[in-house]
Amino acid sequence: MEWLSSALGPQPMMAMFLTIALGYLLGEVNIKGFSLGVGAVLFVALFMGWLVPKSAPAPMVGTLGLALFLYAVGVQYGKQFFLGLTSSAGRKANFIALTGVLLSGVVSVLFLKMTSLDLGHTLGLFAGAGTSTPTLQAAIVTLGNDDPAVGYSVAYPLGVAGPILFLYITFMVLKPKIEVPAGGGLELLEIAPNDAVIKGKTVGEVLAGLPAGIEIAALRRAHHNVPATHETALQPNDVLLVTGKNPETLQEAARQLGEVHEGRMTGDRRDLDYIRVFASRPAAVGRTLADLKLPDGKPHVLVHVRRGDAEIVPNANLVLEYGDRVGLLAHRDDFAALRKFFGDSIKGTAEFSYISIGLGMALGFLLGAINFPLPGIGKLALGLSGVLIVALILGNMRRTGGLNWTMPLSANLVLRNLGLTLFLAQVGMSSGPKFVNTVAQTGFLMIGLAAIVVAALVLPILLLGLGVFKMPYDEVAGIVAGACGNPAILAYSNKLTPTEKPDLGYAMIFPGMTIVKILFVDIVPALLSG
């Protein structure tokens, strides 16, 4: 392998990107539904670091990559995170997740007194069992060495496979009944209401008695289609265009109001036609629908917003983001003005403000550099968790004046995955030689201990969620995914329970538990040394 060392040793960037390519290739290998995904980059990087020790990139590459990952996660999930802190359901879910995370941390620290492992290895086991790359970085910085990367790399595969196995066994034993929502897009239904049902009422008053998730977008009156607002007074012989995501809910609305009357409204596009535009103009993005001042012209109505793969029934408090696809009913004469107002550029799905990300990252690094006094411990610096905290705050704010803090989901995913990949490649290549030596001495012991730490993380969540609080299985699966943090676990939860609850649970839990894990590896060394 002399030729390989000679070729890659002086070329760390070439070695790193070759590692990334091979890692993703390995990560796509699927064995009965299990794959390593981006985590495979770490294992290829460890091998590359052992094979060509001099090829490791500079540490700043890994720091930059992880900072980008944390910032993208925080901006994406900021709103859901703070919702989880303020709602009763969110606080209960965070408590359950916190119990599992702290118990796994305590178990990993107990191994210090029971085995020959050092602190770096045990903190690495904790980080790997929770598949938390930011925790690994925090442990490396706190201890000043790469020992945590060894424990992390041993525990990481179990941190992915273990929770999936626990979720599968629990699902097969309990056989929970999961109510799967029907329909993936927006559904339309024309309803001719009974005069007695709408007499003397406005659209808003009628909606108050209908199932949740229903909107009345337009109505047909005197052979013309006109937009409907909550203040619109209904008259006899009106036909309503009702929208929603669930066909069963729409049918229930039809049973309450009158009868289905298809074809009159959708077949007549003289007054209202459908147009869908991309939200890409800065003045329209980052504002609630109530604050949007649509261009003057003939009456029009905003029917739906599609964000990523999700269909959203609009409400006054919905904040538009770059790349949203906005569906409207309007007169064709106003189409050009509406396109100009929203921007209607597909570039909006990939663009974000470099001013906002620059300021946000700078504030995050500033917060991370501040030393906070902790009684009995000394001083604690948040490090890169400061970037995550600032990003969560900005993601919840969405917009400050003319500055948008959010970014399109597609751009967010690219930035997040790129950052995580760079960090895994750099830290793996730097710790490759030490990994091989340590695993050769204690490999089977560390694998067994890693399995125990994973069980200590997942089992309390399942027992508390399903046994004590009697929560639905899909909600608990989301909590498990958020506490463990790996997207593969979330994907498997969605496969078992194809509802939105795992995604919501993951979004509420993941950022907070990431901060808890980082603080744990920051504080524990100070406590043990004291």
Side-chain angles (χ1 to χ4, degrees), residues 103-316:
L103 184 58
S104 67
V106 170
V107 168
S108 64
V109 172
L110 287 176
F111 293 155
L112 274 175
K113 300 185 180 294
M114 300 168 56
T115 68
S116 59
L117 299 182
D118 59 28
L119 181 59
H121 294 154
T122 56
L123 293 182
L125 288 176
F126 170 67
T131 65
S132 177
T133 307
T135 305
L136 168 62
Q137 192 273 345
I140 291 174
V141 171
T142 301
L143 298 179
N145 58 59
D146 293 331
D147 287 349
V150 177
Y152 181 91
S153 57
V154 172
Y156 184 92
L158 295 175
V160 177
I164 290 175
L165 180 61
F166 281 122
L167 287 173
Y168 172 75
I169 293 174
T170 305
F171 186 87
M172 296 304 295
V173 171
L174 298 180
K175 300 187 184 304
K177 294 182 179 179
I178 308 295
E179 295 184 5
V180 181
L186 190 73
E187 302 286 339
L188 304 176
L189 195 65
E190 296 179 28
I191 301 175
N194 296 323
D195 291 344
V197 175
I198 64 172
K199 185 177 181 180
K201 294 183 178 180
T202 64
V203 167
E205 291 170 338
V206 171
L207 281 173
L210 297 179
I214 292 292
E215 284 291 336
I216 298 175
L219 56 88
R220 186 170 180 81
R221 178 178 295 170
H223 306 294
H224 288 277
N225 298 333
V226 295
T229 67
H230 284 204
E231 293 73 32
T232 302
L234 295 173
Q235 300 178 7
N237 300 320
D238 283 347
V239 177
L240 309 179
L241 181 65
V242 182
T243 66
K245 294 195 293 183
N246 192 330
E248 294 181 359
T249 304
L250 289 175
Q251 292 297 330
E252 175 60 27
R255 285 191 289 270
Q256 293 184 28
L257 292 176
E259 61 182 13
V260 177
H261 215 121
E262 295 289 358
R264 290 189 183 183
M265 300 187 70
T266 55
D268 182 359
R269 301 195 176 191
R270 294 172 300 166
D271 303 298
L272 292 178
D273 203 351
Y274 177 78
I275 179 176
R276 186 160 73 174
V277 294
F278 284 101
S280 60
R281 181 168 165 260
V285 174
R287 301 185 182 278
T288 63
L289 297 185
D291 291 336
L292 290 180
K293 296 181 180 180
L294 296 178
D296 295 330
K298 297 181 173 62
H300 42 248
V301 59
L302 198 154
V303 181
H304 72 117
V305 174
R306 187 170 180 85
R307 179 171 298 161
D309 295 329
E311 201 76 52
I312 303 174
V313 177
N315 61 71

Side-chain angles (χ1 to χ4, degrees), residues 464-478:
L464 286 173
L466 298 173
V468 177
F469 293 105
K470 308 296 182 182
M471 297 171 67
Y473 179 86
D474 49 354
E475 288 186 21
V476 177

